């Protein structure tokens, strides 16, 4: 018999999966999902959900400029900028423009396998990223990356120094 | 005189800071991004007071960032949190160097950080620069952004062609504001008088002139993209300026490559032929003289010297060829850089580089004095650059505190002493909560005009509201 919380989590996952055509087979009152779907439920449903907040909880590891790692459970649908702010992670000066693509201070470096699966960048993000210090082939702006279930367990790195290249370019030119 | 001030404080409201262990006290000169970011980091370890000349905080975030870039001003939210911090005390309307000296601040605080930025501008140094019709970008930007000292600028916008010298982001901001449809500006925090002047403007053509070539241009892609996408405007470039550029593209790093590709696209496509307005870069040109009309009373044109490029890349140099070119224009805006000035003879100043000489933010030969932002590194870079620089200075200061380089065993009276001193000189500060009254008044005035805010242009008006 599943514990109350786990069964709620399980029900939620199944509901999401069955939303479109199979909804009648799984409704809120039921505590037993159709066994046919058990093996198609992604493993994240076995994660415990703290006090019934909506959206699945995804585990993300942040490594800051000093190499300090923080592991947090984040809500699907939040951006990584939201996460840093909400969880009060110790990353100085992160997200200066508050997610409006007007700076590059939320620059994060992803694992290649994760980076390849992210939604493609719009021009405006590339424009800002081009000015980011320590740009890598797997760099993105945290404000443009929305947490999704499949990211569970990923690690993101804050570049060694968060700087905006515009200052550097101009400083070099003024010499 | 010093002990007299301290005694007066005891009778004043609150004895904060006068107990035997008041903790470290630091003050910052300048309430712009450098000041606030430095304060933010310092607040983790010490009480911080910020002295600002104007009654209103935020410096270039308020007076420099273009009105149509409100998202860049989001940093004001984090600055506001800092200003409201219980250990942070903002003192506006205090002119350091005039109302109070740096030495007096150093006596009242364990450390002083200079973050007063660059209020001057580099001059072109050419004949005719002082003629009516010629403005520094600093003043022009200050005018449309409501800087009190620029409110009487009254630029004459009745000429068809404007020439901007310099090709950095400030130059592009000015070009964009000159050519943007009024609809794009009318809900922003641009001042009403600037909005009305721009609505009646006859300027239809803006040339943005640089000494060197397309591969040396200082602006960045976001700003270039905004020019390219301006409604009712087409790009008017000289294909000759772009010789050899296409071939050089493949070897460029991505940021420079994308910027150059966008420029090439603008050259090729030009834009809507029916557009009423146009803008363009002009490369390899340096200003040598502002030309006056027959009566010699105002600028009617500019004489440019044609250059050739020696070397390549960032370090390419412009060399004279001897050829000249005259451009008819009635508005000339020089956007070749801001410049810091010395505010107190007690502070070392490097007039060649126009910065306070320092080592990692520690002012040369002056213990307990630090600097951050443009006055430390020179007037380039965006807010994030200043942010990181300010964090660096704050870290160095804290390190010095922890290493015993600043004598924290001595009690320092901080703001209580300075406030009393200012009082004897007839100067009263504007506190952060009082700035918030000015802020509310501006937002209210803006609302009735359908704008984000309507800035107060007059310092006396600001003070009246602050102290009401």
């Amino acid at each position: 018999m599943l514990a109350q919380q786990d069964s709620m989590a399980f029900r939620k996952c199944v509901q999401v999966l069955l939303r479109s055509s199979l909804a009648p087979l799984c409704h809120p009152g039921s505590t037993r999902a159709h066994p046919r779907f058990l093996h198609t439920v992604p493993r994240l449903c076995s994660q415990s959900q703290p006090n019934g907040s909506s959206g699945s909880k995804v585990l993300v590891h942040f490594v800051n400029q000093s190499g300090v790692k923080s592991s947090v459970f984040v809500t699907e649908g939040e951006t990584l900028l939201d996460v840093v702010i909400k969880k009060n992670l110790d990353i100085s000066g992160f997200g200066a423009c508050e997610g409006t693509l007007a700076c590059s201070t939320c620059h994060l470096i992803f694992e290649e396998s994760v980076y390849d699966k992210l939604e493609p960048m719009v021009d405006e993000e590339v424009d800002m990223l081009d000015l980011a210090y320590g740009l890598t082939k797997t760099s993105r702006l945290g404000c443009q990356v929305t947490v999704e279930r499949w990211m569970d367990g990923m690690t993101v790195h804050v570049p060694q120094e968060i700087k905006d290249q515009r200052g550097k370019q101009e400083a070099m030119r003024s010499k | 005189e010093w002990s007299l001030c301290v005694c007066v404080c005891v009778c004043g409201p609150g004895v904060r800071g006068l107990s035997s262990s008041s903790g470290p006290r630091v003050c910052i000169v300048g309430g712009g991004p450098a000041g606030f970011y430095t304060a933010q980091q310092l607040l983790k370890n010490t009480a911080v007071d910020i002295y600002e000349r104007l009654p209103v905080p935020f410096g270039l975030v308020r007076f420099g960032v273009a009105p149509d870039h409100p998202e860049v001003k989001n940093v004001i939210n984090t600055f506001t949190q800092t200003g409201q911090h219980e250990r942070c005390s903002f003192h506006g309307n205090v002119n350091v160097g005039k109302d109070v000296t740096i030495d007096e601040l150093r006596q009242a605080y364990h450390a002083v950080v200079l973050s007063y930025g660059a209020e001057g501008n580099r001059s072109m140094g050419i004949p005719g620069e002082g003629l009516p019709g010629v403005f520094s970008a600093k003043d022009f930007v200050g005018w449309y952004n409501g800087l009190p000292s620029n409110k009487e600028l009254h630029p004459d916008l009745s000429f068809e062609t404007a020439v901007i010298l310099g090709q950095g982001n400030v130059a592009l901001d000015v070009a964009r504001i000159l050519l943007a449809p009024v609809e794009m500006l009318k809900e922003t925090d641009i001042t009403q008088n600037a909005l009305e002047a721009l609505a009646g403007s006859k300027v239809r053509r803006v040339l943005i002139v640089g000494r060197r070539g397309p591969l040396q241009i200082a602006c960045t892609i976001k700003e270039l993209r905004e020019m390219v996408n301006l409604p009712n405007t087409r790009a008017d470039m000289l294909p000759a300026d772009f010789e050899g550029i296409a071939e050089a593209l493949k070897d460029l790093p991505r940021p420079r490559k994308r910027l150059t590709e966008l420029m090439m696209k603008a050259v090729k496509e030009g834009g809507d032929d029916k557009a009423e307005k146009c803008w363009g870069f002009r490369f390899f040109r340096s200003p040598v003289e502002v030309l006056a009309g027959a009566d010699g009373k105002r600028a009617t044109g500019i004489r440019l010297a044609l250059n050739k490029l020696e070397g390549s890349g960032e370090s390419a140099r412009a060399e004279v060829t001897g050829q000249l070119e005259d451009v008819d224009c009635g508005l000339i805006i020089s956007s070749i850089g801001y410049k810091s000035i010395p505010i107190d003879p007690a502070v070392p100043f490097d007039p060649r580089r126009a910065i306070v000489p320092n080592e990692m933010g520690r002012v040369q030969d002056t213990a307990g004095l630090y600097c951050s932002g443009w006055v430390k590194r020179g007037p380039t870079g965006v807010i994030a650059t200043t942010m990181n620089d300010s964090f660096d200075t704050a870290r160095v200061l804290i390190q010095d505190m922890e290493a015993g380089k600043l004598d924290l065993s001595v009690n320092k009276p901080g703001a209580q002493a300075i406030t009393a001193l200012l009082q004897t000189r007839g100067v009263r500060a504007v506190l952060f909560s009082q700035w918030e009254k000015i802020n509310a008044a501006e937002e209210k005035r803006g609302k009735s005009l359908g704008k984000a805010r309507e800035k107060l242009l007059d310092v006396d008006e600001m003070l009246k509201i602050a102290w009401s």
Side-chain angles (χ1 to χ4, degrees), chain A residues 97 100 127 130 162 170 173, chain B residues 74 225 254 258 381 388:
Chain A
C97 76
T100 54
D127 287 352
D130 270 355
I162 311 174
E170 284 152 6
R173 241 191 308 278
Chain B
N74 281 344
R225 214 183 275 290
R254 187 179 89 175
R258 290 178 75 242
N388 284 286

Side-chain angles (χ1 to χ4, degrees), chain A:
Chain A
M1 181 75 144
L2 294 173
Q4 180 79 0
Q5 268 187 338
D6 288 343
S7 98
M8 254 175 65
F10 188 77
R11 223 184 310 141
K12 265 205 156 38
C13 293
V14 178
Q15 277 173 10
V16 166
L17 287 172
L18 301 179
R19 203 181 297 138
S20 47
S21 51
L22 303 169
L25 289 180
C26 179
H27 49 274
S30 140
T31 51
R32 187 176 64 87
H34 196 291
R36 186 158 56 103
F37 297 106
L38 279 173
H39 63 276
T40 65
V41 171
R43 68 174 169 82
L44 66 84
C45 284
S46 62
Q47 307 265 7
S48 55
Q49 277 192 43
N51 45 40
S53 44
S54 62
S56 312
K57 291 298 188 186
V58 177
L59 180 64
V60 179
H61 308 286
F62 285 84
V63 179
N64 78 0
Q65 305 101 298
S66 322
V68 175
K69 185 165 166 175
S70 308
S71 301
V72 288
F73 279 104
V74 305
T75 310
E76 219 190 326
E78 289 186 321
T79 67
L80 290 176
L81 172 59
D82 294 333
V83 171
V84 171
I85 305 299
K86 271 198 198 159
K87 301 287 182 184
N88 215 5
L89 298 181
D90 184 19
I91 307 174
S92 283
F94 200 83
C97 76
E98 299 181 1
T100 54
L101 287 177
C103 77
S104 58
T105 61
C106 68
H107 173 200
L108 290 169
I109 300 169
F110 292 77
E111 298 153 303
E112 204 173 327
S113 53
V114 173
Y115 178 81
D116 289 340
K117 286 169 39 195
L118 296 175
E119 290 290 308
M121 289 188 266
V122 296
D123 274 341
E124 287 74 16
E125 181 182 350
V126 190
D127 287 352
M128 286 298 115
L129 211 46
D130 270 355
L131 308 174
Y133 194 83
L135 191 65
T136 69
K137 289 195 165 71
T138 58
S139 286
R140 290 294 299 263
L141 294 183
C143 67
Q144 300 302 299
V145 177
T146 303
V147 172
E148 290 174 27
R149 289 190 235 157
W150 61 264
M151 295 176 187
D152 188 51
M154 78 171 170
T155 301
V156 295
H157 283 80
V158 175
Q160 288 292 330
E161 280 189 84
I162 311 174
K163 281 192 198 299
D164 195 308
Q165 276 288 57
R166 274 175 282 190
K168 230 180 159 12
Q169 284 172 357
E170 284 152 6
M172 276 162 57
R173 241 191 308 278
S174 67
K175 284 188 184 134

Side-chain angles (χ1 to χ4, degrees), chain B residues 43-65:
Chain B
L43 279 170
K44 298 178 186 176
N45 297 71
T46 163
V48 179
D49 293 337
I50 301 174
Y51 291 94
E52 159 61 44
R53 181 174 54 194
L54 286 172
V56 298
F58 311 139
L60 283 178
V61 177
R62 176 181 164 101
F63 296 116
V65 176

Side-chain angles (χ1 to χ4, degrees), chain B residues 386-407:
Chain B
T386 290
M387 175 183 84
N388 284 286
D389 177 78
S390 302
F391 288 172
D392 286 345
T393 292
R395 267 192 285 270
V396 158
L397 199 163
I398 299 294
Q399 261 173 45
D400 286 357
M401 276 188 174
E402 289 169 353
K405 290 194 188 148
L406 301 169
D407 189 0

Side-chain angles (χ1 to χ4, degrees), chain B residues 32-154:
Chain B
F36 274 88
Y37 273 129
T38 307
Q40 218 172 68
Q41 280 296 102
L42 288 176
L43 279 170
K44 298 178 186 176
N45 297 71
T46 163
V48 179
D49 293 337
I50 301 174
Y51 291 94
E52 159 61 44
R53 181 174 54 194
L54 286 172
V56 298
F58 311 139
L60 283 178
V61 177
R62 176 181 164 101
F63 296 116
V65 176
D68 60 339
H69 286 169
E71 62 288 339
V72 177
K73 302 190 202 193
N74 281 344
V75 289
I76 286 178
N77 297 333
T78 188
F79 294 165
T80 299
Q81 283 186 339
T82 299
Q84 292 170 340
H85 194 290
E86 55 166 8
R87 271 200 312 280
C88 180
S89 182
F90 172 82
H91 303 261
N93 194 46
V94 177
N95 187 334
V96 175
K98 182 169 151 283
D99 298 334
V100 60
T101 67
I102 293 290
D103 278 341
E104 285 166 340
L105 290 179
R106 288 176 68 209
Q107 284 174 54
Y109 292 91
H110 294 103
V112 175
V113 185
L114 304 172
S115 307
Y116 63 79
E119 68 185 79
N121 61 273
R122 288 180 64 205
S123 69
M124 291 188 281
I126 61 176
E129 190 164 6
L131 282 169
V134 184
F135 302 97
S136 67
K138 176 188 79 71
D139 284 341
F140 195 79
V141 170
W143 169 71
Y144 63 65
N145 273 338
L147 187 62
S149 53
N150 292 135
K151 67 178 184 287
E152 305 295 340
L153 205 75
H154 301 303

